[in-house]
């Protein structure tokens, strides 16, 4: 059995749509190289890296990340979301924002 090695990392996902260039930043506090599945050679690159270094991999559509499955997309009426937020005393949704 392999030993777990934990690391933290800031990851940037950059892509281009028809409208703009996009960058999504995500901080991961506990990456486990034995347990977590990372795209391409990223796991190996990070494991061999020194603290503070940078690793980069190219991911092509359909390569490491499967194509979007339209049947897995669900639409929810805005009023249902607004009422759920209001019941928790949270601010409402704002136009133009992305909510994962």
């Amino acid at each position: 059995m392999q030993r777990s090695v934990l690391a933290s990392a800031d990851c940037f996902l950059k892509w281009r749509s028809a409208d703009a260039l996009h960058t999504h930043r995500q901080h991961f506090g506990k990456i486990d190289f034995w347990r977590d599945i990372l795209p391409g050679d990223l796991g190996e690159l990070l494991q061999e890296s020194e603290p503070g270094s940078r690793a980069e991999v190219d991911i092509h559509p359909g390569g490491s990340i499967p194509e979007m499955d339209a049947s897995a997309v669900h639409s929810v009426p805005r009023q249902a979301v607004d009422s759920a937020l209001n019941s928790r005393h949270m601010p409402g949704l704002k136009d133009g924002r992305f909510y994962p």
Side-chain angles (χ1 to χ4, degrees), residues 29-78:
K30 294 182 179 177
I31 299 172
D32 184 332
F33 295 110
W34 182 73
R35 178 198 65 208
D36 296 331
I37 299 170
L38 300 172
D41 298 334
L42 186 57
E44 291 81 19
L45 290 171
L46 290 173
Q47 249 182 317
E48 296 168 1
S49 297
E50 294 295 321
S53 63
R54 174 184 174 152
E56 187 174 320
V57 294
D58 288 329
I59 302 169
H60 301 284
S64 296
I65 300 172
E67 294 282 337
M68 185 184 93
D69 178 5
S71 68
V73 176
H74 303 280
S75 295
V76 178
R78 183 179 178 132

